[in-house]
Amino acid sequence: MEIELKEIRDFVAAIPPFDRLPEEVVTRLAGRLSIEYVRRGHPVPPDGEEISRLYIIRRGAIALYSKESLMGMLGEGDVCTSFCAAQLMPEFTVKATEDTLLYSIPCKELAELVSGDPSVLHFIRHSAAQRLKEAVSRIQEQSQSSLLHSYAGDYCKGPVVTAPPGISIQDAARLMTEKGISSLLLMEEGKPAGILTDRDIRTRCVAPGLPLETPVEEIMTHGIISARTTDSLFDALLTMTRKQVHHLPVFDEQELRGILTITDIMRQEGMSTVHLTSTIRKAGSVEELVEASRMLPRLQMQLVNMGADQEHVGKAVSAVTDALTVRLIELKEAEIGPPPVPYAWICAGSQARREQTSHSDQDNGLIVSDEMQPEHEAWFEALARFVNDGLNACGFVYCPGNVMASNPEWRQTETVWQDYFDRWINQPEPKALMLSSIFFDMRVVHGDRRLLSNLRGRILEQTPKNQLFLGHMTRNALTHRPPLGFFRDFVLVHDGQHDDTLDLKHSGLVPIIDMARIYALAEGLPETSTLDRLQAAAGTPSLSQGGAANLQDAFEFISRLRLEHQARQIAAGEAPDNFMAPAQLSKLEREHLKDAFKVVQTMQATLELRYQTDRI
Amino acid sequence: MRFNPFSLDARRERLARKAPSGPLHDFLSTAFPPPHTPIDRAPILAVDFETTGLDPASDHLLSVGHVEVVRGRVELRTARHQVIRSPRTLAGDNVAIHQLTDDQVAGGRPLDAVITDLLRELAGKVLLAHHAAVETGFLREACRRLYGMAPLFPVIDTLHLAKRQLERRNQPYQGSELRLFNLREKYGLPRYRAHNALCDAIATAELFLVQAANSRGRRAPPLKNFLLHT
């Protein structure tokens, strides 16, 4: 190569996957490139070209279509591998969406050039979505030893000693002592009727002075929560955390296989969410809650290190936040008395989606029954202030947008909430919607669940029909876009100023969360978590199966990066945040992140087309 | 097609008969691309010279860069850059412009070897340059000195094409708008920092791709629409 081609070589050398190639290979590659220019709206390759080529976009942008539907969009510094793919998609076409300058090389020639590097060959033959899928499944395989990959069936202890519920407390105690067990399962006609623990005998029989002949069914815990042998220990742990139980009978298809105790899991886990939530449940003051919540970042870190994925970490952290909220409410109610009318304490945003990471902002509100009278206002205000202050003290800082129950705007009766939603949906204003989109992710933490379910039913009945509302939601959702030029710029800037960081939350996760919300609202789906929404919307007119799978992969991958980043910060004693310096990413991670961003960008473009956001 | 005794190719044949055997004769013996060739099928060589000044009679050629445009693509594997050995010491100004040092120039090849290669590359192709008067003027002058006569070439001049387009639209313009750098900016082509003969030849070739694409209707127009009348 002529040394004068250095600029073109440097451009190519900074682009994945070519950044992995030895310098002399890149130099040879640059010397074999062809440069072509395609006007906006014209096909790539231009008519009559029969050799398959790999294209590198130097300037401009191209779009990839399969059977009319948009498959991807590529911009400056992107590589179009589609023509080199092992199998071309059916009716595959590529078009320039801007005036575009392309570098290209025949796929065969390139394959020969990079034959020494299988990973580059692999890159060339696969699409961004395929590569991302593989990366996600590789990460999942790596977390083998975790609670996610241990199953309740392997850790529960059997055979289980059982007795009929009519047995006397004394006989039950004798049986338990004889067998050396701390809990006894009461079975009736092959089905679990209840469970009796040492603790039950102490607190419900001995302490109140019940006669020893009393049948066990009077003091046993009814409505047994059980697990299946195929449940992961993680799921079992979550069940225990949420239901506040320490024993789970484990069943297979036919019968009871054993009992899984919290101790069995703790032995696996070290520190436990259940342990933390039960500490919270017993806390007698805000100070104790603050103390307990200090454990949360470490818990999150531990979960990540054990290989828990975004979904599980989010659920665990949200469960702890829920427990804190409930305990704060209980403490205040003990002080000011029971509520004058029914109400529901609702959480919004990430806590509602069960996607929280430790110490995010708090977002909450109150739905009060329409029976409320003006004189009741003071009770709710006192409750709201106490809980908001308490959560803030526990590290869930005040919401910067003031979306909190202590704000009278978000402490209202059912009717007012209905009016809010009616207005948001039927007379959408972009700015108002930007603030309110958080309320389309809502969940009851404490109180009367019907207050929210009535409201939700009404919302989901209206949203699918309202194109203007969905259009405005879409336009707002598109304000956060993945920074696709980021990587190249990062690589090209050699001045030692790598102060720029990547906001994983706003440039990666928020766009996916926003899109998932729109799919759910457009299809009238009640799901609130992002992965559940994508799952439920897959295959509906709003979202293709393939699109859903790609977005799920992208969400998991970016979440994983964020969790690992936060785990490192927590380990270093820093406050966890969403800002990652690209230098912390390996080359491969950078590549996968770019693929994830591509997926997001493509889906955003599809949504944009669907709701014609440029016309509203 | 009727034979036209004044066509470029007819003039080429007459010159070829007079040329001494050697590189110039070989060059003139190869037919020029027919004027009706669709522009995207015409063989083109983008050429850029760096010189010590603008006057072919008194200034010197310093370096030559060229790259082929084949079927609408600039082919980098055909890119060449050659520095011409010159006994003259470079004036300070030129060093700054051309980024060539005295050492590079002293390490270059003799003028006749460079011209021989260039003529061989150019045979059967259209010469493409930005403000082509420099390239044609210096090449003709070099041939006159080396072989005793000057050849002719089919020429596409990207500056001329840009000027013609502005004039056809009756758009007033400033001379500086027609500079290679400014035209590339106008069309959104990347900014090349380096300033040397090969880089400028590639830059010119890219500009030409844009001009050719913009002039295209449903079919590619013929080569003759782009040729400079010489």
Side-chain angles (χ1 to χ4, degrees), chain B residues 84-143:
Chain B
I84 292 145
R85 187 192 300 158
S86 157
R88 263 178 58 128
T89 304
L90 291 173
D93 289 354
N94 288 326
V95 177
I97 295 172
H98 304 297
Q99 301 173 354
L100 290 174
T101 61
D102 284 351
D103 282 351
Q104 279 178 298
V105 174
R109 301 174 69 205
L111 181 71
D112 62 335
V114 173
I115 297 296
T116 301
D117 282 358
L118 177 59
L119 286 174
R120 194 172 47 233
E121 290 298 330
L122 197 54
K125 300 191 184 91
V126 179
L127 187 152
L128 170 70
H130 193 74
H131 188 37
V134 171
E135 280 70 24
T136 54
F138 276 82
L139 183 51
R140 286 166 64 87
E141 180 59 28
C143 288

Side-chain angles (χ1 to χ4, degrees), chain A residues 245-408:
Chain A
V245 297
H246 292 83
H247 297 80
L248 280 181
V250 180
F251 289 85
D252 64 10
E253 308 289 295
Q254 285 91 35
E255 57 179 1
L256 180 68
R257 286 280 304 277
I259 296 254
L260 184 69
T261 67
I262 186 72
T263 330
D264 298 330
I265 298 181
M266 290 212 346
R267 227 171 267 139
Q268 285 297 302
E269 197 198 2
M271 186 174 68
S272 126
T273 25
V274 178
H275 182 69
L276 185 53
T277 45
S278 69
T279 309
I280 289 169
R281 220 161 57 100
K282 286 181 217 137
S285 66
V286 175
E287 289 67 37
E288 282 174 50
L289 289 175
V290 170
E291 194 55 42
S293 66
R294 287 219 180 96
M295 304 292 287
L296 191 53
R298 293 206 65 78
L299 177 70
Q300 178 184 329
M301 178 184 79
Q302 208 169 43
L303 293 174
V304 173
N305 292 343
M306 285 184 327
D309 58 19
Q310 181 278 330
E311 196 179 352
H312 286 89
V313 175
K315 281 181 181 170
V317 175
S318 303
V320 172
T321 316
D322 286 4
L324 278 170
T325 311
V326 171
R327 190 60 194 148
L328 284 165
I329 293 171
E330 287 169 354
L331 287 174
K332 192 64 183 173
E333 285 190 359
E335 181 196 326
I336 61 175
V341 292
Y343 74 98
W345 181 278
I346 50 154
C347 62
S350 64
Q351 189 187 351
R353 293 191 307 271
R354 293 201 166 97
E355 287 161 11
Q356 242 184 338
T357 53
S358 69
H359 298 180
S360 38
D361 303 342
Q362 53 172 304
D363 298 302
N364 45 53
L366 275 177
I367 306 176
V368 187
S369 157
D370 281 338
E371 299 156 29
M372 181 165 99
Q373 300 302 311
E375 64 269 25
H376 299 147
E377 172 55 30
W379 189 95
F380 289 106
E381 187 182 353
L383 176 78
R385 290 213 179 283
F386 181 80
V387 177
N388 287 161
D389 292 347
L391 285 173
N392 185 63
C394 288
F396 296 91
V397 295
Y398 295 123
C399 170
N402 206 8
V403 176
M404 291 186 294
S406 55
N407 178 352

Side-chain angles (χ1 to χ4, degrees), chain A residues 2 4-5 7-8 30-37 39 45-49 53 55 58-59 101 103-104, chain B residues 72-77 79-81 188-194 196 198-199 202 206 209-210 213-214 216:
Chain A
E2 299 287 350
E4 285 70 25
L5 294 176
E7 280 190 54
I8 292 172
R32 306 266 280 269
L33 292 174
S34 307
I35 307 174
E36 58 198 284
Y37 178 79
R39 287 186 70 191
D47 327 328
E49 170 66 33
R53 288 168 177 269
Y55 293 90
R58 180 64 166 93
R59 265 294 161 94
L101 191 70
Y103 295 157
S104 73
Chain B
R73 288 199 179 95
V74 183
E75 297 292 357
L76 294 184
R77 66 190 148 77
R80 296 286 176 278
H81 185 252
L189 291 169
R191 195 179 291 193
Y192 291 137
R193 283 170 304 242
N196 64 60
L198 178 56
C199 229
I202 293 170
E206 288 179 355
L209 292 184
V210 176
N214 288 347
R216 205 188 144 106

Side-chain angles (χ1 to χ4, degrees), chain B residues 22 29 45 66 112 173 182 184 195 208 211:
Chain B
S29 303
L45 189 73
H66 54 79
D112 62 335
Y173 62 89
N182 292 333
R184 286 177 60 88
H195 186 73
F208 174 69
Q211 290 174 327

